[in-house]
Amino acid sequence: MRIHLSEHFTYKKLLRFVLPSIAMVIFTSIYNIVDGLFVSRFVGKISFAAINLVFPILMILGAFGSMIGTGGAAIIGKTLGEGDNDRANKYFSMLIYVMLVIGAIFAVAGYFILPEILKFLGAEGELLEYSVLYGRIALVALPFFITEFAFQSFFVTAEKPQLGLYVTILGGVTNILLDALFIVVFGWGLVGAALATVISQTICILAEIIYFARKNDSLLHLTLKTKFYGKIFIKACINGSSEIVNMSAMSIVSMLYNYQLIKYIGENGVAAYGVIMYVAFIFAAVFFGYEMGISPAISYQYGAKGYDELKNLLRKSLVIVAVTGVAMFTLAEILAAPFANIFVGYDEDLYNLTIHAFRIQIISILFLGFSSFGSAFFTALNNGLISAVISFVHTFIFEIGCVLLLPLIFGIDGIWYSIVVAEIAASLLTFFILYKNRKKYNYA
C-alpha cells in the first residue's frame, strides 16, 4: 500500500516506508563487495588489494551524485510540499541531465590522473598495475555511477522507494551473475570484475531513465521542458554539501588507512582493511538508507509547516538509530569470524589480522548512526551549512585526526581504534547541535 509523504508516521508505517531505501542502499553496496569476494577467492590478494585501493577514489567521484541527489531531493520535496509539482519536475529533470554531463567530464579527467593518485597513495609494481587496470575500466560507467546515487534519493521523493529497490536488485543480481561468468568461467580476473560492475550500473540507469521518462503515477517525471536553473543547482550543492563532505572524507580516510597500513603492515593490512570496510559499508548502508527514506518526509513536512509531525519524525528516528546500532553490533560480533573466513580464510596470517582489527572497529557501530542522521536531518531542513559542519568536523577533524595521531601513540592498534574514538566524538557534537537548534525549527 502506497504511503504518502503527508501522512502521520507510526513506528510501523515509518519502517515500512524506509525499508525499501535501506534494502536499495545495501544492494548498491553489494556491487563492490561481490567484486571483492570473487577477486579475492579466484584471482588473489594483490588484485583484491587493488580493488580496495581504487574504490575510495571512485566513491569521492560518486559523492557528487549523492550531494546533488540529497540536496536536490530536499529542494524538490519542499517544493512538492508547497504544492508546485510542475516546478518540482523541472528541477528534477535539470539535475539528472547535469549529473550525466558532470560524470562524463570526471570520467575523462580521471582516466589520465588515476595513475598519479595511486602512486601518491603508495602503490607500486603489480599493485599499481592492477589498480590502474581496474580503475580505468570502472571509470567508463562513472556518469551512471554518479547519477545512480541521485536516483536513490529521487525514488523516495517520488513516493516510489520500492521501485528503486527493484532496480537496485536487478543491478546487484546482474553483477553477481556476470562476476561468476567473467571471473570464474572465462577467467578474466580484474577485467571481468570491472566489466561486471560497468554493465550492471548501465542496466540500472537505463531502467531508471525509461521509468521516469514514461507516464506513470509517480510524483516526479523527466521532461525536456526544463532549463539550467543555476540558483537551484547551487542550492542543491550547498544543501547536499554535507554528503560530499561525508563521502569524500570517508574516502580520504580510507586512503589514509591504506597509506598507514602499507607503511606499518604492507599489502596484508590493505586486504584486511578491505574486508572490514565491506562489513562497514553494509552497516553504514542501513543508516544511509534510513536517512534517504525519511529525508523527503522531513522536507515535505518542513515545507508544509507540519511541525508536530516533524517532532514525531525526529523522536522516532533517534530511537530507531539507537536500537539499530545495538542490534548491528551484536550481529557483527557473531559474524566476524565467518565473514573473515569467506574472504581471506586461505591465508592464516591475514585471517588472524582481519579478526583482530574487526573486533576493535565494530565498537564504532554503536555510535555510527547518530552523526549521520543528524547531518541528513539538517540537509532535509534545507540547512546545508549545519549539515556540512557536522560532516566536516566528524570526518576531516575527528576521523582524519585520529587515524594520523593514534598510531603514533598506540602503534598498529591505534589505526583500528581511530574510527571508534571519532564516532563517539561526532555523536556528542550532533546531540549538541540538535539541542541548540530545537527552537529555530520547532522540532523539539
Side-chain angles (χ1 to χ4, degrees):
M1 184 172 62
R2 183 169 177 174
I3 300 174
H4 299 282
L5 298 176
S6 57
E7 294 187 35
H8 170 68
F9 284 87
T10 61
Y11 277 110
K12 182 178 179 180
K13 187 178 290 185
L14 181 55
L15 292 173
R16 281 177 50 212
F17 187 70
V18 301
L19 187 59
S21 297
I22 293 172
M24 179 169 61
V25 180
I26 289 174
F27 270 96
T28 300
S29 301
I30 287 174
Y31 287 157
N32 193 60
I33 294 174
V34 170
D35 283 349
L37 178 58
F38 275 96
V39 169
S40 180
R41 278 291 180 178
F42 296 99
V43 186
K45 65 181 182 182
I46 296 179
S47 295
F48 179 51
I51 288 181
N52 295 314
L53 202 59
V54 171
F55 186 66
I57 300 171
L58 296 176
M59 289 301 295
I60 289 178
L61 298 175
F64 284 88
S66 182
M67 173 185 71
I68 296 173
T70 53
I75 295 171
I76 293 167
K78 183 173 181 291
T79 304
L80 290 171
E82 293 166 349
D84 196 340
N85 289 34
D86 182 64
R87 186 157 53 95
N89 281 310
K90 290 179 179 178
Y91 293 164
F92 164 64
S93 301
M94 181 268 294
L95 292 173
I96 292 297
Y97 302 148
V98 167
M99 278 185 292
L100 289 170
V101 174
I102 290 175
I105 294 172
F106 284 173
V108 174
Y111 181 89
F112 293 103
I113 66 174
L114 181 63
E116 299 307 315
I117 296 175
L118 292 168
K119 289 177 185 176
F120 177 76
L121 294 175
E124 57 185 19
E126 282 188 312
L127 181 59
L128 176 61
E129 179 186 346
Y130 293 163
S131 299
V132 171
L133 176 64
Y134 180 84
R136 281 180 166 172
I137 296 174
L139 284 170
V140 172
L142 186 64
F144 306 147
F145 183 59
I146 289 177
T147 310
E148 173 68 17
F149 274 105
F151 267 123
Q152 290 174 350
S153 296
F154 292 144
F155 265 117
V156 184
T157 308
E159 294 183 344
K160 293 290 184 178
Q162 71 281 1
L163 289 180
L165 172 60
Y166 299 153
V167 171
T168 306
I169 291 175
L170 172 64
V173 171
T174 300
N175 199 29
I176 293 171
L177 294 176
L178 291 180
D179 269 328
L181 180 65
F182 294 163
I183 298 174
V184 181
V185 179
F186 294 166
W188 291 352
L190 271 179
V191 173
L195 287 177
T197 300
V198 167
I199 293 171
S200 62
Q201 289 172 352
T202 303
I203 289 173
C204 281
I205 207 70
L206 289 176
E208 290 161 342
I209 289 175
I210 290 171
Y211 174 78
F212 281 108
R214 298 176 62 187
K215 290 184 179 180
N216 54 65
D217 62 346
S218 167
L219 290 181
L220 298 178
H221 302 90
L222 281 173
T223 176
L224 296 176
K225 296 179 180 179
T226 186
K227 61 180 181 179
F228 180 69
Y229 296 92
K231 291 183 178 179
I232 295 301
F233 177 74
I234 293 173
K235 187 176 181 181
C237 292
I238 294 173
N239 265 355
S241 59
S242 63
E243 304 304 319
I244 195 168
V245 167
N246 192 35
M247 292 184 69
S248 297
M250 285 175 61
S251 298
I252 291 171
V253 168
S254 294
M255 287 188 282
L256 281 175
Y257 264 98
N258 288 330
Y259 177 81
Q260 294 282 67
L261 290 166
I262 288 175
K263 176 182 176 182
Y264 282 88
I265 306 174
E267 292 166 354
N268 271 9
V270 177
Y273 180 64
V275 176
I276 296 168
M277 283 298 97
Y278 287 154
V279 179
F281 285 144
I282 294 175
F283 288 140
V286 174
F287 291 119
F288 183 62
Y290 179 83
E291 294 150 14
M292 182 186 299
I294 196 63
S295 290
I298 294 170
S299 298
Y300 185 96
Q301 293 298 337
Y302 178 59
K305 301 188 186 320
Y307 299 124
D308 286 339
E309 186 59 22
L310 202 57
K311 296 175 187 177
N312 174 57
L313 291 171
L314 175 61
R315 290 169 184 162
K316 285 183 169 59
S317 293
L318 291 176
V319 171
I320 289 172
V321 167
V323 172
T324 302
V326 174
M328 291 197 301
F329 171 78
T330 305
L331 182 63
E333 281 282 0
I334 296 170
L335 295 179
F339 201 85
N341 185 60
I342 290 173
F343 276 88
V344 294
Y346 55 83
D347 187 314
E348 185 177 356
D349 290 339
L350 180 54
Y351 171 80
N352 291 331
L353 173 64
T354 302
I355 290 292
H356 174 72
F358 194 98
R359 295 199 182 280
I360 294 174
Q361 289 219 324
I362 58 175
I363 299 171
S364 66
I365 296 171
L366 293 168
F367 311 95
L368 182 63
F370 293 113
S371 62
S372 179
F373 172 76
S375 178
F377 183 72
F378 284 105
T379 296
L381 293 176
N382 282 251
N383 192 327
L385 178 61
I386 292 180
S387 181
V389 166
I390 294 174
S391 293
F392 181 85
V393 175
H394 174 200
T395 47
F396 278 101
I397 295 180
F398 292 152
E399 286 198 46
I400 292 178
C402 287
V403 79
L404 290 176
L405 294 178
L406 292 187
L408 299 177
I409 303 172
F410 301 107
I412 295 172
D413 276 355
I415 300 177
W416 307 127
Y417 275 110
S418 296
I419 185 67
V420 180
V421 176
E423 290 298 341
I424 294 173
S427 296
L428 294 174
L429 172 66
T430 299
F431 281 114
F432 174 75
I433 292 176
L434 282 169
Y435 177 79
K436 291 292 289 183
N437 289 274
R438 66 195 188 285
K439 294 182 179 179
K440 179 178 179 179
Y441 292 102
N442 299 298
Y443 54 69

